Amino acid sequence: MNMGVLDESLREILDAVSDGVYVTTREREIVFWSKGAERITGYSSDEVLSRHCHDNILVHTDVLGKNLCFDGCPLQKCIETGERQEVKEVFLKRKDGERLTVYIKASVLQVGNERYGVEVFGELQSVAGSALAEQLRKLSDASIVDQLTGLYNRRYIDTILDQQYGLFKRHFQRFGIVMIDVDKFKNINDSFGFLAGDEALKFVASVVQRSMRSMDFLARFGGDEFIIVCPLIELEGVEKLSGRIVELVHHSVLSSPESQKNVIEVSVSVGGSLVDYKDKSAIDIIARADEALYRVKRDGGDWYALG
C-alpha cells in the first residue's frame, strides 16, 4: 500500500482533524503526516516522510525523562501486538525547540497482509488545561534539563547516545559527536566570580544552539563542557559544525555581572568524532572526541580537531 496515494477523501478527513496524525509501516517508516501534525510539531510532511519515527524526530519522553522512542514506544507496541495504546502525558520537542505536553493514542491499520501503525497526538493543554500541562512540563524538565543553561542534562544525553548507537548497530545510521570546552573557565570564575562563569556558560549554550541543526541534541556534559549528538551526519558535517561553533564564539566579549567595566573574553575548544564500526559502545566515540579536544588544548594553534 502506498500511503502517498491514500484515498483522497480519507486524507482530507485526517488533515481536517485538529490533532496530529501520522502513519508508519511495520518498520516504523513514516508514510503519512497530517496538517495537524505539521501545525503542532512545526515539521512539514516533506521533512519527515520516508524517515523513521525511531529517528527520535519528536524526542518523545515521559514525565520521568525516559525516551519513549528508544524504550517503550507505544506505536511500536501497537504494531507488534495489534492492541490499541494510549499514553496521557508525553512530551515532544517541536522543530523550534519548544517542548509540548501531549497525549498519544496508537492503533493499527490492516491493509491485506500489511500492518500499519497510526498515531494520533494532541496538545494536553487543550483538554486538561494550561495549569496541569505546565505542572507536568516542569516535572519533566526537572528530570532531563540542566537548570542553569536550559539544555539537556548528562542523564538524558546518555540515553540519546545509547539510542543513536543502537540505531547505528541495527540500521547503520551514522551519527557524530562534538565536544565543546570553555577555555580558561577557572580563570573566569577566579577573576570575575561564579556569576560571571554562569553567564559565560549560558552565552556559549545560546551560541551553540543557534549553530546546530534542528535534529541535533545539545547538552551540558558537566562543568564547563558541552556535547552535541548529531544524528544522520558524516565526518564533513561534524567538521563544519565544529568550525562554525569556534568561529562564532571565538574571542566573544561579555560584561561582568558584578561590574560593566569588567570585560570577559570567551572562547572554546572543540573536538569531534564519528561513529565507527569498531566501536563497542557510545563511550568509544566520546573517548575519541575527548582525545581530539585534549589535543587542541595541549597543542594550541587550531581551535578544533577530529578524532
Side-chain angles (χ1 to χ4, degrees):
M1 176 182 179
N2 182 353
M3 298 298 289
V5 292
L6 188 66
D7 179 79
E8 189 63 30
S9 61
L10 181 55
R11 292 176 63 90
E12 289 179 0
I13 291 172
L14 294 178
D15 278 335
V17 174
S18 60
D19 287 346
V21 182
Y22 68 91
V23 181
T24 76
T25 64
R26 187 185 293 269
E27 291 75 29
R28 295 165 68 189
E29 178 186 350
I30 300 171
V31 291
F32 176 78
W33 189 260
S34 75
K35 296 295 185 183
E38 290 185 338
R39 178 185 62 81
I40 293 173
T41 69
Y43 287 101
S44 69
S45 59
D46 289 341
E47 292 176 291
V48 297
L49 290 180
S50 298
R51 293 179 63 184
H52 295 78
C53 67
H54 57 61
D55 290 342
N56 211 20
I57 301 167
L58 300 180
V59 198
H60 280 134
T61 57
D62 65 13
V63 292
L64 298 179
K66 184 173 75 170
N67 189 308
L68 299 181
C69 296
F70 181 57
D71 180 17
C73 172
L75 184 61
Q76 181 181 24
K77 185 175 181 180
C78 179
I79 294 173
E80 291 175 349
T81 66
E83 299 175 357
R84 296 184 64 180
Q85 303 292 317
E86 183 173 346
V87 185
K88 294 181 179 179
E89 295 129 9
V90 175
F91 301 86
L92 66 78
K93 180 183 176 184
R94 284 174 42 88
K95 183 179 179 180
D96 62 10
E98 180 185 357
R99 296 181 67 238
L100 292 180
T101 317
V102 298
Y103 56 85
I104 285 176
K105 297 180 180 180
S107 59
V108 295
L109 174 64
Q110 193 74 34
V111 181
N113 295 325
E114 292 296 325
R115 174 178 288 182
Y116 294 84
V118 181
E119 179 170 301
V120 179
F121 59 95
E123 297 174 77
L124 188 66
Q125 178 174 323
S126 64
V127 295
S130 58
L132 176 59
E134 179 64 14
Q135 186 177 1
L136 289 168
R137 186 190 64 79
K138 288 180 178 178
L139 175 62
S140 176
D141 283 351
S143 300
I144 69 173
V145 174
D146 173 64
Q147 296 305 302
L148 174 65
T149 62
L151 305 179
Y152 291 125
N153 59 23
R154 173 68 181 269
R155 172 190 172 188
Y156 185 70
I157 207 67
D158 282 342
T159 301
I160 295 296
L161 284 164
D162 288 341
Q163 181 211 40
Q164 289 298 314
Y165 180 75
L167 288 173
F168 173 71
K169 297 298 287 186
R170 292 194 301 273
H171 304 290
F172 310 107
Q173 293 185 9
R174 306 196 79 170
F175 71 98
I177 289 175
V178 175
M179 300 289 294
I180 304 156
D181 183 86
V182 180
D183 296 330
K184 300 178 181 178
F185 184 68
K186 185 176 184 301
N187 291 348
I188 294 175
N189 280 334
D190 291 346
S191 301
F192 303 102
F194 290 104
L195 288 178
D198 288 350
E199 288 303 312
L201 291 175
K202 289 190 284 188
F203 169 75
V204 171
S206 67
V207 172
V208 175
Q209 279 184 305
R210 296 195 299 269
S211 306
M212 62 189 203
R213 305 170 304 170
S214 61
M215 71 172 68
D216 296 335
F217 299 90
L218 172 62
R220 186 180 179 191
F221 204 57
D224 60 343
E225 276 198 335
F226 301 89
I227 183 172
I228 309 176
V229 180
C230 308
L232 302 172
I233 200 169
E234 297 296 335
L235 195 60
E236 180 182 4
V238 173
E239 183 174 15
K240 286 182 178 179
L241 176 58
S242 300
R244 186 159 62 245
I245 291 169
V246 168
E247 182 178 350
L248 289 174
V249 178
H250 195 52
H251 291 317
S252 296
V253 173
L254 305 178
S255 296
S256 168
E258 302 292 337
S259 172
Q260 297 296 310
K261 295 180 181 179
N262 292 330
V263 174
I264 307 167
E265 189 175 281
V266 181
S267 62
V268 295
S269 299
V270 177
S273 63
L274 190 72
V275 65
D276 188 89
Y277 292 101
K278 294 180 292 186
D279 293 330
K280 292 182 172 57
S281 72
I283 294 174
D284 295 335
I285 311 141
I286 294 175
R288 286 200 306 279
D290 210 39
E291 170 60 27
L293 178 60
Y294 173 74
R295 291 201 309 271
V296 172
K297 291 282 193 182
R298 181 192 62 199
D299 300 337
D302 294 332
W303 295 95
Y304 69 90
L306 302 179

